[in-house]
Amino acid sequence: MSVAQNSRRVSMATLLLVLSLSVTSGLSGAQTGAAAVPENASARSYGTGWVCDRGFRQVGEVCAAVQVPENAYPTDMSFGLGWECRWGFREVDLACASVVIPPNGYLNASGDGWECARGYRKAGEACDVVKVPQNGYFVESSYGAGWRCDRGYRAVGELCQLVEVPENGFFVDSAYGSGWECERGYRVAGDSCDLIKVPSNGYLAEFSNGSGWECARGYHAAGEACVALVLPENAHVNFSGNGWDCDKPYVNRQGRCTLASY
């Protein structure tokens, strides 16, 4: 037998030995993985690891039976308690307590609490009647008083008070303020609407706050009048229209426009 033939036989024997060891190692690993699955558990259908059977939950490396309390049922959830309370019960200290519904209440949509019937609202563990004052009406809301005033009235404490609109004013439907505002050209003065006296070269402002008027472009306010701007040499009316800026390259120095020095 030649040296080359003998070498090929040795290489083939080595390859068979490596394959045999690999198969043996794989079987040993599989047996070890199978043995690692605890009681009341099953190996995952994909990947590695295991999951507890229905009615059991993982506690450390074992599967413990789920203790389902009275008025509860087991779930397939691998997290949480492993059970939920039946309709009309709620979880309290790892038990299921009956939902106590007060008079004028009803079981909520999830079945684990209660809501008040129309015309009532929650007050602790009871449903109190919503007391709607005269000139008011009930509203479906869990906030506020549970009622609103009719148009022309406003809430004052637990009552709906008539809004007394002064001359040259109008009613505004708002829960804040006096319940009225002044017409354009008038402004609020206590409980009345005073006429806004616009000076010559002025106009009504968009808002009635302050004086209620502004000066036209080229004029500025001086007391109750609009006075023409006096522009120094090399100046122009600025963006606001009620003041002036120096032309470039002049700068304002003590009310005069002088050439800037660089």
Side-chain angles (χ1 to χ4, degrees), residues 127-233:
C127 287
D128 284 357
V129 64
V130 176
K131 298 178 180 178
V132 181
Q134 187 177 6
N135 301 308
Y137 59 94
F138 175 78
V139 291
E140 293 279 4
S141 175
S142 57
Y143 305 98
W147 53 267
R148 292 178 186 164
C149 292
D150 295 333
R151 181 173 176 81
Y153 294 82
R154 63 172 182 156
V156 179
E158 299 298 319
L159 302 175
C160 285
Q161 188 179 82
L162 178 67
V163 176
E164 297 181 2
V165 182
E167 187 178 2
N168 301 308
F170 60 94
F171 173 78
V172 289
D173 191 6
S174 173
Y176 307 98
S178 62
W180 56 269
E181 292 180 4
C182 292
E183 302 281 0
R184 176 172 170 77
Y186 295 83
R187 62 179 175 181
V188 177
D191 293 327
S192 63
C193 290
D194 283 2
L195 178 68
I196 296 174
K197 297 178 181 179
V198 182
S200 180
N201 299 308
Y203 60 92
L204 282 173
E206 183 177 356
F207 302 101
S208 59
N209 297 332
S211 64
W213 53 267
E214 294 179 2
C215 290
R217 182 174 177 81
Y219 294 83
H220 69 96
E224 298 298 320
C226 286
V227 179
L229 291 173
V230 178
L231 274 61
E233 189 177 1

Side-chain angles (χ1 to χ4, degrees), residues 28-43:
S28 175
Q31 290 173 353
T32 302
V37 178
E39 189 177 359
N40 301 311
S42 304

Side-chain angles (χ1 to χ4, degrees), residues 6 12 40 44 48 51 62 64 71 75 87-88 101 113 145 147 154 156 169 184 204 212 236 251 253-254:
N6 186 48
M12 183 62 70
N40 301 311
R44 294 185 182 276
T48 59
V51 291
V62 300
N71 298 310
T75 64
W87 180 269
I101 303 174
W147 53 267
R154 63 172 182 156
V156 179
R184 176 172 170 77
L204 282 173
H236 60 272
V251 294
R253 286 199 178 102
Q254 298 180 347

